[in-house]
């Protein structure tokens, strides 16, 4: 790993912005630029830091910055959070505006951060001895007839939760990308102020060679009395150019396949901080 970092101070804490320009996906096929934010000396903090922030790779010619919002609880056991594979190194180098005079600007904006005593975060966590896992497939027969700005799959149940997939055919902000999210619709057994911890992988399938476009992670989905739907995914999931290219197999005769695999790891009754935003509203 080739890691560059820059230390700065924000909201009463020292932080490190890590840049890895040579990150790789699991198949090792391409190099990608990844950004990560670290809470410095997290083990010395008496409080956890609950943060909502935004990474940015700046386009200095046209203002078409690459941005990704992230929510994370920083503490001793989880001091680093970030976005792997924001953009391929090849695309970054050939796209005008990002690299000027052999320099590039990366940034992170702390939108909101709260220090929370560890005791307030120690709500009961139930880890599931027998993990519940399942897969759901969304077959889209005509991609170009999907409603805009966003389209939804059917509802499906995994564990005690009802889920739905949200797809933006023209992206949330950038019309050149598809945005794709896994969303919690509601708990089948409605329990207010509940979190469910999951491991997920969502992908657009390559129908010809099996080289699927994937996004995976471990994250928390939350249901409160005030808000019902929360989701995690990727704003710039895949460029429309890459998606529509016949050589990639993602779109075959206007048909595409979205598939998500979910493993329920645990749940708790901790009340979330209101800074958490639904990805559907980002």
């Amino acid at each position: 790993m080739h890691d560059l970092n820059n230390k700065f101070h924000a909201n009463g804490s020292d932080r490190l912005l890590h840049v890895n320009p040579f990150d790789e996906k699991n198949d090792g096929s391409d190099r990608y630029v990844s950004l990560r934010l670290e809470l410095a000396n997290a083990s010395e903090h008496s409080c956890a830091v609950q943060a909502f922030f935004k990474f940015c790779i700046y386009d200095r010619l046209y203002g078409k910055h690459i941005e990704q919002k992230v929510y994370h609880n920083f503490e001793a056991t989880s001091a680093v959070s970030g976005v792997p594979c924001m953009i391929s190194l090849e695309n970054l180098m050939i796209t005008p505006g990002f690299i000027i005079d052999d320099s590039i600007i990366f940034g992170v904006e702390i939108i909101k951060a709260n220090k929370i005593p560890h005791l307030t975060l120690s709500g009961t966590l139930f880890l599931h001895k027998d993990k519940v896992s399942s897969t759901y497939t969304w077959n889209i027969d005509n991609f170009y007839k999907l409603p805009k700005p966003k389209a939804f799959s059917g509802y499906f149940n995994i564990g005690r939760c009802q889920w739905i997939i949200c797809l933006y055919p023209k992206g949330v902000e950038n019309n050149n990308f598809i945005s794709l999210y896994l969303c919690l619709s509601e708990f089948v057994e409605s329990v207010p102020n509940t979190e469910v911890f999951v491991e997920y992988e969502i992908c657009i399938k390559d129908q010809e060679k099996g080289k699927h476009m994937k996004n995976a992670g471990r994250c928390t989905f939350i249901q409160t009395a005030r808000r019902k739907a929360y989701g995690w995914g990727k704003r710039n999931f895949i460029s429309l150019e890459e998606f529509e290219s016949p050589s990639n197999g993602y779109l075959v005769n206007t048909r595409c396949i979205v598939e998500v695999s979910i493993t329920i790891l645990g749940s708790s009754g901790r009340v979330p901080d209101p800074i958490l935003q639904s990805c559907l509203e980002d």
Side-chain angles (χ1 to χ4, degrees):
M1 178 177 177
H2 304 263
D3 187 65
L4 311 173
N5 65 76
N6 183 52
K7 189 173 182 179
F8 64 99
H9 189 82
N11 297 93
S13 301
D14 289 329
R15 304 171 193 271
L16 290 168
L17 174 62
H18 295 272
V19 179
N20 179 6
F22 300 106
D23 203 354
E24 295 182 350
K25 293 188 177 181
N26 292 334
D27 58 11
S29 57
D30 296 301
R31 297 280 179 96
Y32 289 81
V33 176
S34 298
L35 300 181
R36 291 176 173 82
L37 182 64
E38 178 182 358
L39 178 65
N41 304 317
S43 60
E44 300 175 6
H45 286 256
S46 60
C47 297
V49 177
Q50 195 174 55
F52 182 44
F53 53 96
K54 179 175 68 176
F55 290 113
C56 188
I57 305 175
Y58 289 94
D59 176 351
R60 287 179 278 170
L61 286 182
Y62 307 107
K64 296 181 178 179
H65 313 311
I66 300 172
E67 299 180 345
Q68 180 69 51
K69 292 180 181 178
V70 181
Y71 169 84
H72 189 72
N73 283 335
F74 291 93
E75 47 192 326
T77 57
S78 185
V80 182
S81 178
V83 181
C85 304
M86 282 189 69
I87 184 174
S88 71
L89 186 59
E90 180 182 2
N91 287 339
L92 185 71
M93 295 180 69
I94 65 175
T95 304
F98 292 112
I99 301 177
I100 297 178
D101 297 329
D102 293 326
S103 70
I104 184 170
I105 299 178
F106 300 96
V108 59
E109 176 187 352
I110 309 298
I111 298 173
K112 190 166 184 180
N114 288 344
K115 289 186 176 180
I116 303 176
H118 288 299
L119 288 176
T120 67
L121 293 177
S122 61
T124 305
L125 168 64
F126 300 96
L127 293 178
H128 297 173
K129 181 178 180 181
D130 299 319
K131 297 176 183 177
V132 178
S133 299
S134 190
T135 299
Y136 174 80
T137 302
W138 180 18
N139 293 298
I140 301 172
D141 292 327
N142 192 328
F143 175 79
Y144 296 108
K145 289 187 176 180
L146 286 175
K148 296 177 181 62
K150 56 191 173 185
F152 294 96
S153 70
Y155 293 102
F156 57 97
N157 292 347
I158 296 178
R160 295 191 301 109
C161 303
Q162 185 181 79
W163 306 90
I164 194 169
I165 299 170
C166 179
L167 184 152
Y168 291 76
K170 291 290 188 178
V172 174
E173 289 180 347
N174 189 337
N175 289 338
N176 296 319
F177 283 84
I178 290 173
S179 302
L180 188 62
Y181 300 97
L182 170 66
C183 304
L184 171 66
S185 172
E186 64 179 0
F187 284 83
V188 177
E189 299 174 15
S190 184
V191 182
N193 302 325
T194 300
E195 300 178 351
V196 59
F197 303 95
V198 310
E199 185 173 72
Y200 79 93
E201 180 180 273
I202 190 167
C203 74
I204 297 178
K205 302 191 75 171
D206 174 353
Q207 301 172 58
E208 297 178 348
K209 294 169 288 188
K211 295 183 178 180
H212 312 314
M213 178 62 67
K214 300 177 181 179
N215 177 251
R218 288 188 174 186
C219 54
T220 303
F221 291 86
I222 300 172
Q223 174 172 291
T224 69
R226 184 172 61 91
R227 306 180 77 165
K228 293 295 184 182
Y230 290 89
W232 291 97
K234 197 168 184 181
R235 184 176 298 243
N236 296 338
F237 191 89
I238 185 173
S239 70
L240 279 173
E241 180 181 4
E242 189 176 1
F243 173 74
E244 294 174 333
S245 173
S247 63
N248 291 327
Y250 301 125
L251 187 66
V252 178
N253 296 326
T254 73
R255 183 175 185 267
C256 67
I257 302 172
V258 179
E259 187 172 272
V260 62
S261 299
I262 300 174
T263 299
I264 309 295
L265 303 176
S267 59
S268 80
R270 189 175 70 209
V271 179
D273 187 88
I275 71 170
L276 180 62
Q277 300 293 319
S278 166
C279 73
L280 297 178
E281 298 179 0
D282 281 350

